[in-house]
Amino acid sequence: MVPGFVQLGLIALLFQLTIIGGFYGYLRYRHPVADSSTRRRVMKVLAGGACLLAIGQAAALGALGSLMVTPLLSFEQALFIQDAGLFLTLVGYIVVFAGFVLHSRASVS
């Protein structure tokens, strides 16, 4: 059984990924990129960033959620994993932002 805040956090994570995908779909529809290699690179950067932020948030939620179910980790270890997950999430958001910047620069030229 997973604690409620972990379930709510995973729903929020899915909502964030849906927003990122929807925004990219809108940009792709309104401002298409003619070059297929640039389009592929933008897609890889966005997908990589989305994977990083999903893994980071899931790790951060799971570390503290595991303390409530079965304490496999000590409190200090769980906090370290949570901090590492939040850092990975931050890196993921930066990569997603970089993907949107790549798309906007490619669609202008």
Side-chain angles (χ1 to χ4, degrees):
M1 186 66 105
V2 179
F5 73 91
V6 175
Q7 291 176 349
L8 187 62
L10 291 177
I11 290 172
L13 173 63
L14 290 175
F15 182 71
Q16 292 169 16
L17 293 176
T18 303
I19 293 297
I20 290 170
F23 188 65
Y24 176 66
Y26 172 76
L27 284 180
R28 191 171 166 184
Y29 173 72
R30 295 293 287 174
H31 306 286
V33 176
D35 188 21
S36 65
S37 65
T38 304
R39 189 171 43 243
R40 205 172 317 123
R41 184 174 50 242
V42 167
M43 190 66 173
K44 284 182 182 180
V45 169
L46 283 174
C51 287
L52 284 177
L53 73 93
I55 290 170
Q57 284 185 4
L61 286 168
L64 289 180
S66 71
L67 290 177
M68 297 184 77
V69 178
T70 50
L72 298 173
L73 304 169
S74 69
F75 186 71
E76 290 82 21
Q77 290 171 337
L79 286 179
F80 178 75
I81 291 174
Q82 180 191 16
D83 291 342
L86 292 176
F87 178 73
L88 192 61
T89 301
L90 178 66
V91 170
Y93 275 117
I94 291 170
V95 171
V96 165
F97 180 73
F100 285 130
V101 169
L102 279 174
H103 180 81
S104 66
R105 288 184 180 229
S107 65
V108 171
S109 22

